[in-house]
Amino acid sequence: MNKISKTFIIGLLPMALLACGNSNKKANSEAADSNALGAEKEIQVEIPAFDADSAYHYIDKQVSFGPRVPNTKAHQACADYLTSQLEAFGAVVFRQDFDAIAYDGTILKSSNIIGAYNPESKRRIALFAHWDTRPWADNDPNPKNHHNPVLGANDGGSGVGVLLEVARQINIKQPALGIDIILFDAEDYGSPTFYKGVQREDHWCLGSQYWSRVPHVPNYTARFGILLDMVGGKDATFYQEGYSLYFAKKLTKKVWNKAHQLGYNKYFIDQEGGTIVDDHLFVNKITNIKTIDIIPYFPNNEQSSFGDVWHTVNDDMEHISKETLKAVGQTVLAVIYEEK
Ligand SMILES: [Zn+2]
């Protein structure tokens, strides 16, 4: 497997768009997203300190339910937990229950869970993560584990854990814009590697596809969106993902610059990674909300370009790093509190 195609694997599909997609469309996307973000200025605002212990605790709590695979009791219990936690943090909570149809026709009882702050404001930022976990550890080095579920401390749990801590901070002190914390379901039910049928990118990200077509409030829009996926791995390196650069280059640069300003250069790498089929792709394609993905890329990892434990039975709390959670969480807080 070569370097480029490795880049494309995610709980998501091999894609072959990187080389052709970017060059001639860059100018358009750049021009388009410069308006949405407004002028770049240094604004003095007090930014809350992100508490990584707290985010870690919210991940641990999700993991304590077991794998959060749709149509299981653990999944239902976790949905209730996330709903009540967002309510406890003062959000107006929307629970969007829907039937998703999986690649093999299975009906997945799914729920997108949305916590809205300052819902009357027209100026909004959307923060996304997926909260479901993968039913199959189909990238485990031991093939015997391929039919066992992933615990999903990092893949699922980490993005949600960071956003719950962001919610807790917003409840203490509101930023200038309205914030929506949007937790997608059924991201990781894409056809397993052992599936013999056709693999399609829209087998993945069923919750974000649904929400993008049927948002939780009619005509919903936001100034921009940030998706967090697998943001808790040890020594994670976040390269600038290809679709993020394609759809929202200015926002990508702004977030990476902010991370560097805060001293997180070790995590936020000022280089382009590959394109990844993830929830942000469907948000970008279906809605007008320019959305980036903060997702790790390990260019030299033989096991997976998403890291050693990706889609294995070892995606557990032992492999979660508070330092990585802090780097991502503090960067997101700075971006949303500095937005006017
Ligand atoms: Zn996954």
Side-chain angles (χ1 to χ4, degrees), residues 2-16:
N2 68 32
K3 192 179 164 201
I4 292 290
S5 62
K6 252 169 74 178
T7 311
F8 299 132
I9 316 166
I10 179 174
L12 316 166
L13 273 197
M15 292 281 297

Side-chain angles (χ1 to χ4, degrees), residues 98-102 105-110 186 206-207 210:
F98 62 101
D99 287 350
I101 302 171
T106 304
I107 303 286
L108 306 175
K109 294 288 176 193
S110 306
L206 302 177
Y210 181 84

Side-chain angles (χ1 to χ4, degrees), residues 10-12 130 132-134 150 155-156 187-189 204 229-230 310-311 315:
I10 179 174
L12 316 166
H130 78 87
D132 64 304
T133 57
R134 185 152 180 77
V150 174
D155 194 357
E187 186 269 353
D188 231 345
Y189 211 97
W204 302 88
D229 196 1
M230 300 186 269
W310 176 74
H311 291 187
D315 182 1

